[in-house]
Amino acid sequence: MTGFLKKALRHFRDSEAGSAVVPFALWTPLMVGIALSTVEMGALTIRQTQLEQALDQTIREVKLGTGQVYTHEELKQKICDRADVLANCMDTLQLEMVGLNMRDWVEPPDTVDCVDTAEDITPQRNFEFGKEHETMMLRACYLYRPVSPTSYLAGSLEKDAQGYTALVATGAFVNEPQ
């Protein structure tokens, strides 16, 4: 019996059948993870670019439309209309507009408020319309769910309790006189 077992183990050790399966099994998870991370990075880049471009175009319209005062909802709608890639934009976009005093500079807060998807209504953090010749900072925070939450990249992104990741775009403009 012992001789049979030794012979079987020796035959198993010396056999080269199935030798390609081991590297395949070791490398496949890594390659799939890299492929999913590539897809995730592409989707993240498209969303970030669309958000920044929509915010810049909206700020340009605000600067050129002298005399017209836009409400919070109108600005949000304009940004969402220009960024068709952003799903559920009106529900997951949060705007913050703050006046910046250039003569007595105070750093704007680093923390960005995003929509709290756990609550029914998320209150605005700060939305000041500003005065003539005042420099204004408009910050937009958009929440989205990653395309492939199991990829290496999505796993390293900061997420809230519901699994949303935040994208932030910031722009500045000067309120023109009427």
Side-chain angles (χ1 to χ4, degrees):
M1 179 76 157
T2 309
F4 172 73
L5 188 59
K6 284 183 180 179
K7 185 177 179 185
L9 286 175
R10 194 175 309 121
H11 176 68
F12 178 74
R13 183 190 67 196
D14 295 338
S15 174
E16 291 188 18
S19 63
V21 172
V22 174
F24 178 79
L26 293 175
W27 285 103
T28 299
L30 179 68
M31 293 302 169
V32 168
I34 290 172
L36 288 175
S37 292
T38 302
V39 169
E40 187 66 47
M41 184 57 130
L44 184 139
T45 302
I46 289 170
R47 286 186 186 114
Q48 182 71 40
T49 303
Q50 283 273 310
L51 179 63
E52 287 179 4
Q53 183 179 14
L55 183 68
D56 288 344
Q57 288 173 349
T58 303
I59 287 175
R60 183 175 190 274
E61 186 176 326
V62 168
K63 287 192 295 190
L64 295 177
T66 56
Q68 184 173 355
V69 177
Y70 293 96
T71 65
H72 176 266
E73 283 301 312
E74 288 173 338
L75 288 176
K76 192 172 176 179
Q77 187 65 52
K78 286 183 179 299
I79 291 170
C80 289
D81 289 346
R82 289 183 168 111
D84 12 342
V85 172
L86 306 180
N88 300 327
C89 181
M90 287 300 288
D91 297 331
T92 58
L93 181 72
Q94 181 84 348
L95 295 180
E96 175 187 15
M97 189 153 61
V98 183
L100 302 174
N101 187 344
M102 296 309 216
R103 295 187 194 333
D104 186 22
W105 180 253
V106 176
E107 192 76 27
D110 286 340
T111 57
V112 179
D113 274 351
C114 289
V115 173
D116 187 354
T117 54
E119 294 180 12
D120 290 336
I121 297 174
T122 304
Q124 297 173 192
R125 175 181 177 173
N126 200 357
F127 202 83
E128 306 167 10
F129 288 105
K131 303 175 231 58
E132 291 182 358
H133 301 292
E134 186 176 13
T135 304
M136 304 299 293
M137 178 186 76
L138 180 60
R139 190 164 26 194
C141 179
Y142 171 73
L143 292 179
Y144 76 98
R145 287 186 193 241
V147 175
S148 54
T150 57
S151 70
Y152 301 130
L153 178 65
S156 66
L157 294 173
E158 194 172 315
K159 294 181 225 33
D160 66 4
Q162 284 74 34
Y164 286 94
T165 299
L167 294 177
V168 178
T170 306
F173 63 96
V174 175
N175 276 334
E176 298 295 332
Q178 296 179 357

